[in-house]
Amino acid sequence: MNWWLGVSVGLKEIAAHKFRSALTMLGIILGVCSLVGMFALVTGLTNGMRFALNQLGGLEKVNVSDQEPPLDQQHLAELSPGRTWRDVEAIRANCSLIEAVSPEVDLRGATVVRGNRQSRPRQVVGATPEFLTVNNFTVEHGRFITELDLWNAARVCVLGQRTWTDLFGPAAPTEERLGQTIEINSEPFTVVGVFRLYETERARRQREAGKLDTTTISRFDPRRGRTTARPGMRGGHWLAAKNEIVVVPLSTMQVVFRSAALGGTDPDPRLTWLNLRVRNAEQLDEALHQVRNTLLQTHRGVEDFGFDTRESWAESIREQSQNAIRTGGLIASISLVVGGIGIMNIMLASIRERIHEIGIRKAVGARDRDIFVQILVESTTLAMVGGIIGLVVSFGLVRVLEWMTPPDYTPVVTWPALVVSLVFSVGVGVVAGLYPAFLAARYNPIEALRLE
């Protein structure tokens, strides 16, 4: 049996019964579209989460968090001073596997004002120069906080792009913005720098193509307690947090914005966050062991701290991707199974229509194997054509999904997804054609000629 002849016959059957073939292939087309769309969504989701992971410092970043001490240390909990500057100095002196330490104090709910403009950033943070390295920030204009600023408790600040635009507008030249004075909770600060704009690749392309209006100014909405969304600065939670930020020297934060818990006048020494950057992610366990031993000394033996690493986040990304592929693949494969049932049905009908032809071929010497291969190749061809059409249509589906998903998780079509979808559709065609091919091959030529 000539394989190409079988393909040719299959294509002729499709052309001869266009409407019937189109309805038969519809299940395959929808199944392939579903598979490609599912793979694109999962790939976009995975890329978005990995992008967020890298933007927040990558696998090397570790957060030292507060936690309840063990049961046998509950009675000693009050002896620990908590996370303070002493922890920072001790880690820098004793932990050789730690590249940088970033102590941070967050001024929650702060309002930033300049003239008649105001903004409610997600974060107003007191930090040190290591903040850039640990949290993966980049200053685009001006400078960042220096050690001299810390020593002098200088009233200087660095703004995120969105906060900067909220306060100054998009049209003001950069040199006019730097050196200007703003107020943080009615306290004056001088702007000395601004971070670069953090955005997704899709948003960047649209902005550069002029499809995003970056001239619209966001305004403070008192009903929502924050600035309204602005085109060109949109993004997910993580990107928005990096664009809506104000950073001041840690010493200034502790001196100017004192703790009012007991009405005292001394700066509050406690830290909101204590972030670390490990020199090598492969030595994470050793580095955390060093930090743990050091903090036990500064916390007077009370283990009231824990470590939030990005390893669990990375593992969670892998697990979520695998679960989404399994679940989405199962759902999408239902359409392919329906398409396979349609192919089996149409092949059975085709055999009944061509039973006289089968009888003649067997009467002149065709073997059962030849008939079996011909019917199987025809069903496979039907599935392959449907699969190819499904691949073409799936690109349009993915384009629609792009407008329905957040910019951080833009669907991405990959070659492996296309190949797997096409192979799966062809496999369905093969399985669907087995029974009709077996049935046709078993026909007795005399009975086949008589049934005409």
Side-chain angles (χ1 to χ4, degrees):
M1 171 63 189
N2 191 323
W3 290 86
W4 292 112
L5 178 60
V7 174
S8 175
V9 173
L11 292 175
K12 288 180 180 178
E13 283 294 315
I14 294 174
H17 306 88
K18 296 182 179 62
F19 185 71
R20 185 176 70 178
S21 299
L23 291 178
T24 303
M25 291 187 296
L26 185 60
I28 298 295
I29 294 172
L30 293 177
V32 170
C33 283
S34 300
L35 276 178
V36 174
M38 181 273 298
F39 280 121
L41 285 172
V42 172
T43 302
L45 178 65
T46 303
N47 292 344
M49 289 189 293
R50 288 176 177 169
F51 178 73
L53 175 62
N54 292 330
Q55 289 297 316
L56 291 176
L59 292 174
E60 293 81 9
K61 182 180 175 180
V62 178
N63 172 252
V64 181
S65 60
D66 286 329
Q67 71 175 24
E68 290 293 325
L71 292 177
D72 59 341
Q73 293 186 343
Q74 291 285 346
H75 63 289
L76 303 175
E78 295 183 359
L79 296 178
S80 173
R83 294 169 300 175
T84 64
W85 186 259
R86 288 187 59 206
D87 296 336
V88 178
E89 294 176 334
I91 293 173
R92 288 174 177 172
N94 301 307
C95 301
S96 59
L97 296 179
I98 299 299
E99 178 182 357
V101 185
S102 176
E104 301 166 23
V105 174
D106 185 19
L107 183 62
R108 303 182 186 278
T111 301
V112 183
V113 178
R114 176 183 176 272
N116 60 351
R117 295 181 181 274
Q118 60 179 339
S119 177
R120 189 71 71 81
R122 296 189 181 219
Q123 298 181 76
V124 176
V125 181
T128 63
E130 288 85 355
F131 178 88
L132 289 180
T133 303
V134 174
N135 295 287
N136 197 17
F137 273 82
T138 302
V139 175
E140 184 174 41
H141 302 294
R143 65 174 179 85
F144 193 61
I145 295 165
T146 65
E147 292 291 343
L148 186 61
D149 294 328
L150 291 176
W151 277 104
N152 296 329
R155 292 182 177 238
V156 296
C157 64
V158 182
L159 307 180
Q161 278 277 349
R162 176 167 179 173
T163 304
W164 188 18
T165 308
D166 287 343
L167 298 177
F168 292 91
T174 301
E175 57 273 12
E176 293 184 10
R177 306 185 191 190
L178 297 179
Q180 295 290 321
T181 299
I182 64 173
E183 292 184 355
I184 304 175
N185 283 1
S186 302
E187 296 289 345
F189 282 81
T190 301
V191 179
V192 295
V194 61
F195 296 117
R196 75 173 180 87
L197 174 63
Y198 294 93
E199 58 186 344
T200 62
E201 183 65 21
R202 170 183 164 190
R204 183 190 64 81
R205 292 196 302 265
Q206 292 179 334
R207 177 174 55 82
E208 292 179 350
K211 295 181 180 180
L212 288 180
D213 181 14
T214 58
T215 62
T216 305
I217 308 301
S218 61
R219 299 290 185 182
F220 178 74
D221 187 348
R223 294 173 300 176
R224 298 182 180 180
R226 59 174 296 102
T227 50
T228 56
R230 179 177 64 260
M233 298 296 181
R234 294 178 300 177
H237 171 75
W238 307 116
L239 292 182
K242 298 193 74 169
N243 289 324
E244 301 175 32
I245 190 171
V246 178
V247 180
V248 303
L250 178 61
S251 56
T252 309
M253 176 68 75
Q254 292 177 319
V255 171
V256 176
F257 304 104
R258 295 183 176 92
S259 172
L262 300 176
T265 58
D266 295 330
D268 187 349
R270 292 171 297 180
L271 302 174
T272 307
W273 297 299
L274 178 55
N275 294 318
L276 316 173
R277 187 169 189 84
V278 180
R279 295 187 185 277
N280 189 341
E282 296 179 358
Q283 297 179 305
L284 179 62
D285 292 338
E286 299 176 27
L288 295 184
H289 182 70
Q290 288 184 349
V291 175
R292 179 179 178 275
N293 292 337
T294 300
L295 293 182
L296 282 176
Q297 296 179 13
T298 57
H299 287 226
R300 300 175 182 174
V302 180
E303 193 171 355
D304 59 343
F305 55 86
F307 301 108
D308 296 331
T309 67
R310 300 301 188 269
E311 276 190 332
S312 57
W313 190 353
E315 181 62 28
S316 176
I317 292 175
R318 288 191 291 268
E319 291 180 358
Q320 291 181 33
S321 299
Q322 293 172 359
N323 292 336
I325 289 176
R326 284 193 290 265
T327 305
L330 178 62
I331 296 174
S333 62
I334 294 176
S335 296
L336 284 175
V337 171
V338 173
I341 294 173
I343 290 178
M344 181 181 293
N345 181 57
I346 201 67
M347 293 308 301
L348 290 173
S350 177
I351 290 172
R352 296 295 299 178
E353 294 173 357
R354 297 158 56 193
I355 191 169
H356 184 63
E357 173 193 335
I358 294 173
I360 293 176
R361 292 193 60 195
K362 298 193 74 171
V364 298
R367 296 167 296 179
D368 291 351
R369 184 180 65 184
D370 297 330
I371 303 299
F372 180 87
V373 171
Q374 177 185 346
I375 301 301
L376 189 62
V377 169
E378 289 180 21
S379 68
T380 304
T381 302
L382 198 63
M384 181 178 294
V385 173
I388 293 173
I389 296 175
L391 293 182
V392 176
V393 176
S394 65
F395 282 94
L397 173 64
V398 172
R399 291 291 295 176
V400 173
L401 292 176
E402 287 183 4
W403 294 103
M404 299 174 62
T405 55
D408 286 2
Y409 307 113
T410 303
V412 178
V413 178
T414 60
W415 282 108
L418 298 178
V419 173
V420 168
S421 301
L422 182 60
V423 170
F424 202 96
S425 68
V426 172
V428 168
V430 172
V431 174
L434 286 176
Y435 176 71
F438 178 77
L439 190 64
R442 293 296 301 273
Y443 272 129
N444 184 288
I446 297 177
E447 290 294 328
L449 292 172
R450 185 178 65 83
L451 288 174
E452 183 194 9

